Amino acid sequence: LSLKHILLGILAEPASGYQIKQYFNASLRHFWSAELAQVYPTLHKLEQKGMLQSHLAPPTKGPPQRIYSRTEKGADELFNWLEEPISGSERFTYLAQVYFLAQNQSPESAEKFFQSLLKQFQQRLGTLQQILDQWQSEIPGIPEILEDQDLYPYMTLTLGLARNQATVQWCQQSLELIQRRKS
Amino acid sequence: LSLKHILLGILAEPASGYQIKQYFNASLRHFWSAELAQVYPTLHKLEQKGMLQSHLAPPTKGPPQRIYSRTEKGADELFNWLEEPISGSERFTYLAQVYFLAQNQSPESAEKFFQSLLKQFQQRLGTLQQILDQWQSEIPGIPEILEDQDLYPYMTLTLGLARNQATVQWCQQSLELIQRRKS
DNA sequence: GCCTCCATGTAAATAGTTACATGATTTT
DNA sequence: AAAATCATGTAACTATTTACATGGAGGC
């Protein structure tokens, strides 16, 4: 349901399926990802519904590209989605793993699990921090100075940072608690 | 992929599909949910694979219940899953909405969106806080005093709280920024 | 009598992943 | 000459949601 709307959002500028996938990797991967095998059929469906138009671009190099652009109908659909209330439930597989951790017989398994959790979240945090550092060095006066079109993507970055910081702290506290209980 | 393992985790004690659904509503809903229409077929598949066994319980009241219990094979599968590394990508639909918010023509739409975001996260935070308060009033000396089987579920609660607090703060800061920019 | 809760399930649709197929161009 | 990247797509499978079908028990 959401990929449709995300594609409509990305297609503020015309682009090919492949370029859209690049955009996912470059800018959205912190909260969304999509495989090409999902992108292409979804673009087709959106075209069938009249929300996108496409044409083949002459092959400058390599195979020809099919370039999609958003129609008015597509833009309307996007604007409606942008006003929808958010959906309730989130899914965190690793929290399910934590939840049942006590069922694993081996006594160090919980400690090991949290150590690897901590590592992974520290790494994510580092990645996000680097991106923020780059924004800050390139654009002094951030965020006040930003245009709206950059401000909201920037906000998704700051939330990612805040949440990851909270998660790293939680991992550390949990690890300490687990280690204290060993004795 | 995960629902299988979550069912195996819940079935440390034998239970029916309906009871499992209750358990989702009572204890896991903060990070996972599942419809009965998904639970029943998944239980069937797990039984076919020899990870669960079932028998019909005599109808004390109402229709008979099919009670599932975990086999050794099922337990092994669970233990393996509990040691798997976590998967990389998370999905947050509302962050995609934030990301494209600038494309909505109407100037107050962003403000409205964040106001409703803030409300919803404050509400979730309140719910989680209530659950924590109850644990704390019922079990003084939490978390040190807890058995492992309660400690890890408790940890999923504390992470939920920490993340929601971070999110509420982010909503507030974002709203202030948006309101400052109006002038 | 009607509504809700208990309890199980199927069917159909949507969403998403993994694997496969194809072929050109550019880099090593 | 092999490997990586560009570029599009299909097929098969897995995961999830929404809607429907059925029927008993207990409360209003």
Side-chain angles (χ1 to χ4, degrees):
Chain A
L1 204 52
S2 299
L3 179 64
K4 273 187 218 168
H5 296 116
I6 293 174
L7 292 179
L8 290 170
I10 293 174
L11 287 171
E13 301 294 326
S16 71
Y18 196 85
Q19 288 168 339
I20 288 170
K21 171 64 175 161
Q22 308 294 105
Y23 194 81
F24 270 107
N25 293 343
S27 300
L28 303 176
R29 70 160 168 287
H30 304 302
F31 57 88
W32 204 274
S33 66
E35 300 304 315
L36 278 170
Q38 200 192 353
V39 171
Y40 287 124
T42 306
L43 288 170
H44 287 318
K45 279 176 213 153
L46 284 169
E47 189 172 24
Q48 276 168 28
K49 288 186 188 163
M51 297 184 183
L52 296 179
Q53 280 179 320
S54 76
H55 66 271
L56 284 174
T60 56
K61 58 171 190 178
Q65 297 182 115
R66 180 169 292 277
I67 306 290
Y68 287 90
S69 16
R70 198 168 67 189
T71 63
E72 279 209 25
K73 195 174 165 193
D76 288 344
E77 177 67 26
L78 173 68
F79 301 152
N80 287 334
W81 176 66
L82 287 175
E83 287 174 1
E84 272 177 27
I86 72 170
S87 82
S89 61
E90 296 174 350
R91 263 169 189 188
F92 301 100
T93 309
Y94 65 89
L95 280 184
Q97 285 171 293
V98 169
Y99 192 96
F100 296 116
L101 222 41
Q103 293 191 42
N104 199 335
Q105 321 94 320
S106 116
E108 318 103 30
S109 70
E111 197 179 346
K112 273 190 203 160
F113 188 82
F114 270 97
Q115 276 162 350
S116 96
L117 257 194
L118 176 59
K119 246 187 223 165
Q120 284 185 68
F121 281 109
Q122 278 172 334
Q123 211 171 308
R124 283 194 207 179
L125 184 57
T127 309
L128 294 177
Q129 189 63 53
Q130 272 178 28
I131 299 171
L132 181 67
D133 289 348
Q134 212 176 338
W135 280 64
Q136 284 177 336
S137 71
E138 283 173 10
I139 313 169
I142 235 178
E144 269 77 9
I145 229 177
L146 291 174
E147 304 274 339
D148 275 7
Q149 51 172 309
D150 294 322
L151 176 67
Y152 296 107
Y154 173 83
M155 282 178 175
T156 65
L157 178 63
T158 59
L159 180 60
L161 272 162
R163 279 173 160 260
N164 267 280
Q165 273 156 8
T167 309
V168 164
Q169 277 174 32
W170 170 83
C171 282
Q172 285 166 340
Q173 285 163 12
S174 302
L175 252 182
E176 282 167 30
L177 184 55
I178 290 168
Q179 284 162 350
R180 247 182 288 142
R181 286 161 67 92
K182 283 204 300 191
S183 48
Chain B
L1 205 52
S2 299
L3 179 62
K4 273 187 217 167
H5 295 116
I6 293 173
L7 293 179
L8 289 171
I10 293 173
L11 287 171
E13 301 294 326
S16 70
Y18 195 86
Q19 287 168 339
I20 289 171
K21 171 65 175 162
Q22 308 295 105
Y23 194 80
F24 270 106
N25 293 343
S27 300
L28 303 177
R29 71 159 167 287
H30 304 302
F31 57 88
W32 204 275
S33 67
E35 301 304 316
L36 277 171
Q38 198 193 354
V39 170
Y40 287 124
T42 306
L43 288 171
H44 288 317
K45 279 175 214 154
L46 285 169
E47 190 172 24
Q48 277 167 25
K49 288 186 189 165
M51 297 184 183
L52 295 179
Q53 280 179 319
S54 77
H55 66 272
L56 284 173
T60 57
K61 57 170 190 177
Q65 297 182 115
R66 181 168 293 276
I67 306 290
Y68 287 89
S69 14
R70 196 168 70 189
T71 63
E72 278 208 25
K73 196 175 165 193
D76 288 345
E77 177 68 25
L78 174 68
F79 301 152
N80 287 334
W81 175 67
L82 287 174
E83 288 175 359
E84 271 176 28
I86 71 172
S87 81
S89 61
E90 295 173 351
R91 263 167 190 187
F92 300 100
T93 309
Y94 65 89
L95 280 184
Q97 285 171 292
V98 169
Y99 192 96
F100 297 115
L101 222 41
Q103 293 191 42
N104 200 334
Q105 320 94 320
S106 115
E108 318 104 29
S109 70
E111 197 179 346
K112 273 190 203 161
F113 189 82
F114 270 96
Q115 275 162 349
S116 98
L117 257 194
L118 176 60
K119 247 187 221 166
Q120 283 185 69
F121 280 109
Q122 278 173 335
Q123 211 172 309
R124 282 193 206 180
L125 185 57
T127 309
L128 293 177
Q129 189 63 53
Q130 272 178 29
I131 298 171
L132 181 68
D133 288 349
Q134 211 176 338
W135 280 65
Q136 284 178 337
S137 71
E138 283 172 10
I139 312 169
I142 233 176
E144 270 77 7
I145 228 176
L146 291 175
E147 304 275 337
D148 276 6
Q149 51 172 307
D150 293 322
L151 176 66
Y152 296 107
Y154 173 83
M155 282 177 175
T156 64
L157 177 63
T158 58
L159 180 60
L161 272 162
R163 279 175 162 259
N164 267 281
Q165 273 156 8
T167 308
V168 163
Q169 277 174 32
W170 169 82
C171 282
Q172 285 166 339
Q173 286 163 12
S174 302
L175 251 182
E176 282 167 30
L177 184 54
I178 290 168
Q179 284 162 349
R180 246 183 288 141
R181 284 161 69 93
K182 281 203 301 191
S183 50

